[in-house]
Amino acid sequence: MNEYNGNFIFPPRTKMKSELFRSHKAANGLSPIAALWSRFPNTFAQLKLNGNRNIIKVNADRSIEFWNRHEGKQDYVVTAEMREEILRISPEGTVTVWDSELMDKKFKGIKDVIYLYDVLVWEGKHNIGMTYGERYALLSSRVAPNGNASEYHMPLELASIERPMYLAQNYVGSEWAALWVKLQELWKAENWDTPWIEGLVAKRFDAVSQLQKGNQEYNNSGFMCRFRRPHKNYRS
């Protein structure tokens, strides 16, 4: 790990994307790419939410900054409840940078919620060389210090969202099909024109996910693959 110089860090992001199922139907089985990813060791999927990418910088003086992935500050005022939760998980007297999704404006049914899935700077050190598995373990231990991480996992039902902060849940490859079917049922039942859950993101937790310098947009991209929901322009 290196001393953090205070510069903007581009968060891990990938161009890799694929369908999860053949023709998006569970009965047809996982697509070849999804099947490959599901067999990688130490690989999990997390929910892909329809929000704004949000890099949270907590300064040594306990001030909080929200940045988007384009190096600009978010047009958002942190609520008192959210501020309390962010400071709860961030050590005092040092700089911490979290990676998250801000759920506030893109989907009208959710406001003032952050969805955490990575930590890029810890105790003033840029986490270069740490695997995603190590970073996620650190994140989880701060969000849920008593080991009750399931209490902070993002609910699939919109009506169950009550906290200002949630932790990404990890789904093993054998769970992807059932999870996707459940999401499709929700999309249909709730008639979402613009759903707040867009799909899944598969992430490897092993050595291939070691954090690199984030001085360019796709410096950290090879350990992830996106699986998006069907849409009107999808061609089977």
Side-chain angles (χ1 to χ4, degrees):
M1 294 188 291
N2 297 352
E3 288 289 339
Y4 174 53
N5 60 14
N7 291 342
F8 178 82
I9 300 174
F10 285 97
R13 186 166 179 260
T14 184
K15 292 181 179 180
M16 286 191 286
K17 59 183 178 180
S18 175
E19 299 80 30
L20 187 60
F21 293 122
R22 301 176 189 272
S23 301
H24 287 288
K25 294 181 180 179
N28 293 338
L30 293 176
S31 70
I33 293 178
L36 176 65
W37 276 81
S38 72
R39 292 193 298 268
F40 284 144
N42 298 316
T43 299
F44 303 88
Q46 298 172 350
L47 298 178
K48 169 73 174 70
L49 304 188
N50 183 19
N52 294 105
R53 192 63 176 269
N54 186 47
I55 297 90
I56 303 170
K57 183 180 180 182
V58 183
N59 297 299
D61 64 1
R62 309 298 276 169
S63 61
I64 298 172
E65 302 173 15
F66 278 12
W67 293 78
N68 60 40
R69 63 180 177 86
H70 304 292
E71 302 184 72
K73 286 194 174 183
Q74 301 277 21
D75 180 19
Y76 178 78
V77 178
V78 180
T79 67
E81 189 177 12
M82 186 184 292
R83 174 183 169 80
E84 181 179 353
E85 281 290 88
I86 293 172
L87 294 182
R88 175 181 69 82
I89 66 174
S90 305
E92 297 183 8
T94 187
V95 178
T96 309
V97 177
W98 308 100
D99 191 10
S100 69
E101 202 81 11
L102 174 62
M103 305 296 293
D104 185 67
K105 295 179 179 179
K106 274 192 162 185
F107 185 82
K108 62 182 180 181
I110 306 177
K111 288 185 66 65
D112 302 319
V113 172
I114 51 174
Y115 173 66
L116 291 165
Y117 36 75
D118 207 344
V119 52
L120 306 178
V121 174
W122 180 251
E123 295 185 334
K125 300 291 180 65
H126 192 175
N127 292 334
I128 295 174
M130 285 183 66
T131 66
Y132 181 65
E134 293 168 332
R135 303 194 311 273
Y136 182 87
L138 173 58
L139 168 63
S140 181
S141 71
R142 296 299 296 187
V143 173
N146 296 323
N148 56 336
S150 61
E151 295 182 15
Y152 291 89
H153 289 160
M154 177 66 79
L156 300 182
E157 294 79 15
L158 190 62
S160 299
I161 297 176
E162 299 175 342
R163 296 178 179 273
M165 184 176 73
Y166 285 94
L167 171 69
Q169 181 176 350
N170 299 320
Y171 297 88
V172 298
S174 60
E175 297 177 308
W176 296 359
L179 175 60
W180 192 266
V181 170
K182 175 64 174 178
L183 292 176
Q184 289 183 313
E185 290 173 353
L186 288 172
W187 293 328
K188 184 176 180 180
E190 300 191 15
N191 193 27
W192 294 340
D193 292 329
T194 306
W196 64 279
I197 300 176
E198 293 184 321
L200 307 178
V201 180
K203 298 181 180 181
R204 297 183 64 173
F205 279 46
D206 53 12
V208 74
S209 66
Q210 289 181 336
L211 193 67
Q212 308 298 315
K213 291 182 179 179
N215 57 345
Q216 297 183 31
E217 186 172 8
Y218 291 102
N219 274 22
N220 293 278
S221 61
F223 73 99
M224 299 184 293
C225 184
R226 293 178 292 157
F227 300 105
R228 299 291 294 271
R229 69 182 288 270
H231 55 83
K232 64 181 180 179
N233 294 322
Y234 169 70
R235 294 177 296 175
S236 59

